[in-house]
Amino acid sequence: MAKKVLIIDDSVTQLSSLKIFFKREGFEVDTAKNGVEGFVKIYKNTPDVIISDVLMPHLGGFQLCRLLKSNRETKDIPFIMLTVLDKNLDKFWASQSGADVFLRKDFDMSTIVQSAKDIIKKMPVSNMTKQELSTYEIEEDAIITQINKILDDELMKATITNKFRDITDYTKDDKHIASEIFEILSTITDYDIACIHFHSPDASVQKRLIFHEQNVLIDDETMLAIWRQLLPDSINDFKPEKITSKNELHVLNSIDDFLSKKEFDFYYEDILIGKLCLFSRENLRWNKMRFMQTVKSELDLFLRLKYLYTKTCYLSITDELTQLYTRRHLKSVLAQEFERAKRYGTIVTIAMIDIDNFKDVNDKYGHLAGDYVLKEVSKIFINTLRKTDFVYRYGGEEICILMPETLVEKAYVPLERLRKTIENREFIFEGKKIKVTVSIGASTYGKDMRDANELIERADAVLYKAKKSGKNKVVMDIDE
């Protein structure tokens, strides 16, 4: 059966020449003098390939191609763009319109015919598509409706994209970021509850799940149930936060009240960098919603940028070997905590820790073994202490803990637990067992202290006392 070609060109000469050449090659040829006429004929005659000029009245080749490639029933028909234009910008618009082949008009006719044969072979139009096209009755007025729909869609996509671009100015404020994302989501779907989590490369940062109550109010138990579903590994680190709209709200007391949900996981290099979940009391078909894919793509890009930005900031204040915060970062944070305590009467405790006889570990087992012990001890610190405590590598084998809102008397229990954990741990490096202990000295801010350095000096002084009095012990400033 002969293949059908539809040639669209406002030049009578060009149209006649192409028609003759294609008929000689055994094609069934149909023609149209402009894009509007061509659009109607595509539905009436279901061609195997479309060849169109770019510059035409009413509806140009770029617009026609974009229109066809945006339609489910015509998107699979091969489209060859012919033009006298050959600038890079023209090629760009041809590719953006969805053209499958871009040829100059001054190519010889045999090249154009061969290109048509090649693209038909590569992209054959199925009989099902042809049958479906023949069932439509298309009038010229319908083209305006189609074009308006495409323009509306492109405008909406551009708006969503621009809104996500605007959020990049707030990469440090997670709650503000979440609020902006929820605002975008609420324009395309009528979810009742949305929640989002941003993963931090800093393991010491408390995990947050930020909720948006758009049409309902949920209690703590429902939030906890949602947390268990989304972040089961961090249930003991539960920190939900709410953003509530001002609409009339319906109170829900169970996660079972939601009939549908849509969950998105976002990854970067196999690392989960974020989660988004939408809940509705209606049985919604989330995947069928317009622009949902645009939101997903933009959110994926944004979360990658946010994660990389956060990771860069984290690495700038993190010791490479131990993954503890750096001494420089300690000075900055401690200065703020000291001023806060001085002005508002808050409490802050500093603990200085030294690995006992660390030089002997290096001398007996080698520096790689020393590095291993230092890394393992640091992991114990991170995993044992509270999320509100901050651990720093002060220098060498010396570690510092900043404990906000903690009196020195209250600090003794967690510090002693830390000391015992390390004492009872058997470190094994290359088959060799290494025993390690630590000495700890702690001091709390006092009104008589001149500056933050004095707080460190006081903690250092009681650490020295712990070392001189036998090591492997915790000494508090109140013991002085």
Side-chain angles (χ1 to χ4, degrees), residues 348-353 399-403 406-416 439-445 449 454-466 473-480:
V348 59
T349 291
I350 281 284
M352 302 297 292
I353 300 99
I399 295 170
C400 176
I401 304 174
L402 176 65
M403 309 175 78
T406 307
L407 284 168
V408 70
E409 298 93 331
K410 299 290 185 182
Y412 179 81
V413 172
L415 293 175
E416 176 62 14
S439 297
I440 302 175
S443 179
T444 293
Y445 162 79
M449 293 181 180
E454 187 173 347
L455 180 56
I456 292 179
E457 289 169 4
R458 294 278 286 270
D460 253 334
V462 286
L463 170 62
Y464 180 75
K465 180 179 177 181
K473 60 177 63 176
V474 177
V475 177
M476 316 302 286
D477 201 11
I478 56 175
D479 297 336
E480 285 280 87

Side-chain angles (χ1 to χ4, degrees), residues 110-167:
S110 61
T111 299
I112 298 174
V113 171
Q114 187 59 49
S115 295
K117 290 179 179 179
D118 291 342
I119 197 67
I120 289 172
K121 187 176 181 180
K122 182 180 178 182
M123 301 173 58
V125 179
S126 68
N127 290 328
M128 183 179 296
T129 298
K130 292 182 178 182
Q131 289 173 4
E132 185 177 1
L133 275 172
S134 64
T135 63
Y136 287 91
E137 293 185 8
I138 298 296
E139 301 295 335
E140 292 188 3
D141 291 345
I143 299 176
I144 303 302
T145 302
Q146 293 273 6
I147 292 174
N148 286 337
K149 179 180 179 298
I150 291 172
L151 291 175
D152 288 345
D153 285 357
E154 293 301 319
L155 178 61
M156 187 64 176
K157 288 176 183 177
T159 301
I160 291 171
T161 298
N162 289 334
K163 281 184 173 291
F164 271 103
R165 299 294 190 270
D166 292 341
I167 303 176

Side-chain angles (χ1 to χ4, degrees), residues 50-311:
I50 301 164
I51 299 175
S52 174
D53 187 18
V54 169
L55 301 176
M56 297 183 294
H58 308 304
L59 186 66
F62 291 148
Q63 292 86 353
L64 173 63
C65 185
R66 188 75 183 90
L67 176 63
L68 296 173
K69 293 298 182 180
S70 298
N71 276 354
R72 180 186 59 81
E73 61 269 15
T74 59
K75 64 183 178 64
D76 295 327
I77 302 175
F79 196 104
I80 297 176
M81 191 81 73
L82 291 183
T83 182
V84 294
L85 307 174
D86 63 352
K87 301 297 184 184
N88 287 338
L89 182 60
D90 303 315
K91 295 176 182 177
F92 168 78
W93 281 117
S95 65
Q96 291 301 300
S97 67
D100 301 293
V101 181
F102 185 80
L103 296 177
R104 287 181 50 168
K105 270 191 173 183
D106 56 5
F107 282 179
D108 60 81
M109 292 294 181
S110 61
T111 299
I112 298 174
V113 171
Q114 187 59 49
S115 295
K117 290 179 179 179
D118 291 342
I119 197 67
I120 289 172
K121 187 176 181 180
K122 182 180 178 182
M123 301 173 58
V125 179
S126 68
N127 290 328
M128 183 179 296
T129 298
K130 292 182 178 182
Q131 289 173 4
E132 185 177 1
L133 275 172
S134 64
T135 63
Y136 287 91
E137 293 185 8
I138 298 296
E139 301 295 335
E140 292 188 3
D141 291 345
I143 299 176
I144 303 302
T145 302
Q146 293 273 6
I147 292 174
N148 286 337
K149 179 180 179 298
I150 291 172
L151 291 175
D152 288 345
D153 285 357
E154 293 301 319
L155 178 61
M156 187 64 176
K157 288 176 183 177
T159 301
I160 291 171
T161 298
N162 289 334
K163 281 184 173 291
F164 271 103
R165 299 294 190 270
D166 292 341
I167 303 176
T168 55
D169 294 336
Y170 303 96
T171 50
K172 291 183 180 179
D173 187 345
D174 282 0
K175 197 163 186 178
H176 182 91
I177 291 170
S179 179
E180 293 290 320
I181 291 172
F182 293 145
E183 182 178 341
I184 296 171
L185 285 167
S186 63
T187 63
I188 66 169
T189 178
D190 295 318
Y191 63 81
D192 292 309
I193 294 290
C195 53
I196 194 164
H197 164 67
F198 308 114
H199 174 72
S200 172
D202 186 351
S204 66
V205 172
Q206 188 174 36
K207 290 182 173 61
R208 304 165 71 183
L209 193 59
I210 303 171
F211 289 82
H212 180 217
E213 300 170 313
Q214 184 167 236
N215 300 310
V216 301
L217 286 173
I218 55 174
D219 56 19
D220 290 345
E221 285 300 315
T222 305
M223 283 195 294
L224 186 60
I226 292 174
W227 185 288
R228 286 195 182 101
Q229 283 191 5
L230 300 184
L231 301 166
D233 296 334
S234 59
I235 195 63
N236 295 325
D237 190 22
F238 181 48
K239 187 183 178 184
E241 298 173 66
K242 282 187 180 184
I243 300 170
T244 304
S245 63
K246 295 181 179 179
N247 299 333
E248 185 175 341
L249 300 174
H250 177 76
V251 179
L252 292 183
N253 298 315
S254 172
I255 194 172
D256 296 330
D257 292 333
F258 298 113
L259 295 183
S260 62
K261 78 169 183 175
K262 180 62 179 177
E263 186 174 342
F264 299 96
D265 288 341
F266 299 94
Y267 286 88
Y268 176 73
E269 294 182 345
D270 297 325
I271 298 171
L272 182 68
I273 59 174
K275 293 179 77 76
L276 170 70
C277 198
L278 307 173
F279 293 86
S280 175
R281 289 169 293 166
E282 298 179 13
N283 193 13
L284 299 182
R285 299 175 67 187
W286 303 97
N287 291 333
K288 296 294 184 181
M289 289 184 180
R290 294 172 67 200
F291 314 115
M292 186 62 80
Q293 186 58 46
T294 302
V295 169
K296 182 183 177 183
S297 298
E298 289 299 324
L299 188 54
D300 182 60
L301 175 61
F302 171 76
L303 288 177
R304 286 170 183 247
L305 294 173
K306 182 181 187 302
Y307 177 78
L308 290 173
Y309 172 82
T310 306
K311 186 175 182 180

